[in-house]
Amino acid sequence: MASPQDQERARRFRVANPGYWRRWQTANQERCREYNHRWYIANRERAASYARAYARRIRAEVLAAYGTSCVRCGSTERLELDHVNGDGRAHGIAIGAPEHGGLRFWLALKKRGWPTDPPIQVLCCTCHRRKGIEAERELARLQIGIR
């Protein structure tokens, strides 16, 4: 652990030289990559713990932006994002996160400032599945011509 004097010296350097560390990393990408890889190998459990905590934090931001309870039943358990118009796959591909939900999709939404076009709502797992079943039944009715 660095002494308080060394910590203060480092703080003053950071204040006097903004952007230095980013420039150093850019100039030494291979060195940084090797260091990060060695650290990951030696600290797999810790890295996994950091990743889980990061995903939980981003998910909390998503729910804060779109709602913290199911819009159909009001549940606060097992919440998921739902595209109101059923165009989730196309939206994911359009924003560069083609897999269904998950961290990449949440980060893409965050980067775009929590868009509302296409409309997104929060549903619990049960209501989300129910909505999917209802949509499939409606599609089947339309295909065979029953109203």
Side-chain angles (χ1 to χ4, degrees), residues 56-73:
R56 279 192 301 270
R57 191 170 65 246
I58 297 300
R59 184 176 190 278
E61 290 180 33
V62 169
L63 293 178
Y66 290 107
T68 56
S69 63
C70 177
V71 297
R72 285 190 172 189
C73 71

Side-chain angles (χ1 to χ4, degrees), residues 13-14 17-25:
F13 180 84
R14 285 191 305 273
N17 300 285
Y20 171 81
W21 182 242
R22 179 67 59 199
R23 289 190 305 273
W24 187 90
Q25 285 179 316

